[in-house]
Amino acid sequence: MGVRALAKDTAIYGLSSIIGRFLNWCLVPLYVYLFPAEEYGIVSYLYSFTAVALIILNYGMETGFFRFANKSDNPAAVYSTSLISVGTTSLIFIILLSIFIRPVSSALLLPRHPLYVWLLGVTVAVDAFSNIPFAYLRYRNRSLRFAGIKLLNVGFNIALNLFFLLCCPALAKGAAAGAINWFYAPLGGQAFGIGWIFVANIISTLLVLLCLLPDFMGRMRIFDSRLLRSMLSYSWPLLILGVAGVLSQNMGQLLIPYLFEGHETEAREMVGIYGANMKIAIVMVMFTQAFRYAYEPFIFAQARSKGEDRTQAYCDAMKYFVIFGLFIFLGVMYFLPLLKHFIAPTYWGGLRVVPVMMGAELCFGVFFNLSLWYKLTDRTRWGMYFSLICFALMLGLNIWLVRAIGIPDGYMGSAWAALISYFLVMCLSYLVGRHYYPLPYPVMRMAIYTAFAGLLFMLGEWLTFPAQMWLTYLVRLVLLLIYALPVYLLDYRRR
């Protein structure tokens, strides 16, 4: 599997990720127009916790599956053992959450909304189990089936959101009320508010599980406890890495309500504004995620080969990730005056976080790209160390910067904390990796591209014509082409 195959799979995964995220992104205007910032803040806040729970419930088994399936003579046993292990722990999680739902809701500062917490908890447990069949599809290079199921999930989720949030309130007021009241009224009807978002999510997640039935039913026949111990030994540092990483990524949304106790409404407003504007920067996250889906199978498949071709493939992957990441950064920032209309005008005060968070996500993507050295050398503990360092930096900087900036713009402190922390751990991972697994990355060329993109970004901000925005967009489109031209001449054309 070469760089071209990596690009093909990244395009397929990216198409499903970009279309899916874009369609989900289109729900943001619906949410921010239907619900005030403090209520939408609960959605952002809870989804941040579910991201952490998903990492814990997967405990590194996804990457562990790729590692052991590629070096095992019996990958079916690796798959079956992974399924049984993650399935068992997910079931235990659902049982414990159901028993202790009230204290858990109180700990999350949502004692009046235990049903929200339970719905999302069950959703994340099912998601955790589904990740193993999805990893199996990636292992078998079945990217089209992977993408199809992901898009079905998104489409069904959007349809349910529109049904619950728009159709049901209209139907409940008319002659058709009896057709929906059997499920609509018991939950409170329109007063259930953002709760319908979580109901739509759990139903669409269960649909995905049904679609994946052929990929795990009849395959859970082998449970190798010795193999599981080896996989856990490899994967547990990845669990720490993942938890610390997700906590870092969602630090602002998680921490702000705790930093402003006594000002709950203002804190939730800040979380809502921060979360809504981060949805604009989600394009960089989509690109990084699409790359990740294709990259893990790629690096472990490349590990079987030898020689300079493998080394060159790793370096090319890094270079093109940076090139396309910078292109996405420029594209989003140049057309931000258009993209901002995806959120309500009351949220526009937070648009300042977009360039900072896009830069942070680009650094995080490079950091993930660098992770190949400790995954291939089985030194996954280094990934754990880096993530813990990032977590400590993020926590300290958030507490300092968010409090220093205060209400109502404290979320800017979270954005800058993310950029500084990701940049530092990216540099640290590169320096340590040079010792254990040195690769001749084209650092100077990537630095030149970064500086060039930065110059074009500032030039685009300067060449703004408020009275003639069509001219502004035309100039910025030309600047995008100016960025793409030397990339084409220096890299792609020479291949």
Side-chain angles (χ1 to χ4, degrees), residues 41-49 108-110 253-254 257-258 271:
I42 296 176
V43 178
S44 297
Y45 174 67
L46 274 180
Y47 275 123
S48 299
F49 275 106
L108 294 176
L109 304 180
L110 294 169
Q253 296 171 91
L254 293 171
Y258 292 93
V271 172

Side-chain angles (χ1 to χ4, degrees), residues 228-249:
L228 179 62
R229 285 194 295 271
S230 298
M231 294 180 72
L232 291 175
S233 177
Y234 174 85
S235 298
W236 77 262
L238 297 177
L239 167 63
I240 307 300
L241 181 158
V243 171
V246 172
L247 283 172
S248 298
Q249 284 180 300

Side-chain angles (χ1 to χ4, degrees), residues 186-412:
L187 289 175
Q190 190 171 358
F192 193 48
I194 59 172
W196 292 113
I197 298 172
F198 307 134
V199 172
N201 203 347
I202 193 171
I203 294 174
S204 57
T205 299
L206 290 172
L207 175 67
V208 167
L209 191 64
L210 287 175
C211 293
L212 291 170
L213 275 176
D215 297 293
F216 66 83
M217 289 300 290
R219 299 178 187 271
M220 300 169 66
R221 299 173 180 173
I222 304 171
F223 180 75
D224 189 332
S225 58
R226 182 177 297 179
L227 172 62
L228 179 62
R229 285 194 295 271
S230 298
M231 294 180 72
L232 291 175
S233 177
Y234 174 85
S235 298
W236 77 262
L238 297 177
L239 167 63
I240 307 300
L241 181 158
V243 171
V246 172
L247 283 172
S248 298
Q249 284 180 300
N250 296 278
M251 184 69 72
Q253 296 171 91
L254 293 171
L255 201 59
I256 286 173
Y258 292 93
L259 292 177
F260 297 100
E261 287 192 60
H263 300 275
E264 287 80 7
T265 300
E266 293 87 347
R268 286 177 183 168
E269 284 181 1
M270 284 196 290
V271 172
I273 292 170
Y274 184 47
N277 282 279
M278 282 180 65
K279 294 295 184 183
I280 298 176
I282 207 76
V283 179
M284 190 68 76
V285 180
M286 288 188 286
F287 171 62
T288 303
Q289 185 182 58
F291 184 84
R292 173 181 172 271
Y293 283 150
Y295 191 60
E296 280 190 334
F298 166 78
I299 64 170
F300 289 121
Q302 286 289 326
R304 298 176 185 171
S305 61
K306 296 180 180 179
E308 294 183 2
D309 288 344
R310 178 182 66 177
T311 300
Q312 188 61 45
Y314 293 150
C315 295
D316 285 347
M318 171 68 86
K319 178 178 66 177
Y320 288 115
F321 175 85
V322 172
I323 287 172
F324 284 106
L326 291 170
F327 183 84
I328 291 168
F329 174 85
L330 288 175
V332 170
M333 295 314 304
Y334 282 167
F335 296 97
L336 187 58
L338 287 176
L339 296 174
K340 72 179 183 180
H341 291 285
F342 277 94
I343 58 177
T346 53
Y347 290 76
W348 288 356
L351 287 170
R352 293 168 295 168
V353 307
V354 176
V356 182
M357 286 307 301
M358 290 200 70
E361 289 297 337
L362 182 60
C363 290
F364 178 77
V366 174
F367 170 62
F368 174 81
N369 207 314
L370 290 167
S371 70
L372 73 89
W373 72 260
Y374 57 76
K375 290 179 179 177
L376 291 180
T377 59
D378 292 344
R379 291 185 172 91
T380 50
R381 292 190 181 191
W382 275 104
M384 176 183 68
Y385 300 150
F386 296 141
S387 287
L388 289 174
I389 291 169
C390 184
F391 173 77
L393 284 169
M394 196 81 78
L395 180 62
L397 288 170
N398 264 274
I399 292 173
W400 172 41
L401 293 173
V402 171
R403 280 180 169 169
I405 296 172
I407 298 172
D409 299 322
Y411 51 80
M412 282 303 302

Side-chain angles (χ1 to χ4, degrees), residues 56 58 94-95 135 157 163 170 199 204 212 239 256 277 315 328 330 342 360 365 404 429 435 443 457 463:
I56 293 172
N58 267 130
I94 292 174
I95 293 170
N157 184 48
F163 175 68
V199 172
S204 57
L212 291 170
L239 167 63
I256 286 173
N277 282 279
C315 295
I328 291 168
L330 288 175
F342 277 94
S429 180
H435 173 72
V443 176
F457 167 63
L463 294 173

Side-chain angles (χ1 to χ4, degrees), residues 464-481:
T464 301
F465 309 96
Q468 296 176 304
M469 287 305 296
W470 66 270
L471 182 58
T472 299
Y473 298 135
L474 180 61
V475 169
R476 291 179 175 183
L477 185 60
V478 171
L479 291 176
L480 266 181
L481 294 174

Side-chain angles (χ1 to χ4, degrees), residues 419-432:
L419 177 58
I420 295 167
S421 302
Y422 287 149
F423 177 78
L424 291 176
V425 294
M426 175 190 74
C427 295
L428 184 60
S429 180
Y430 171 72
L431 293 173
V432 177

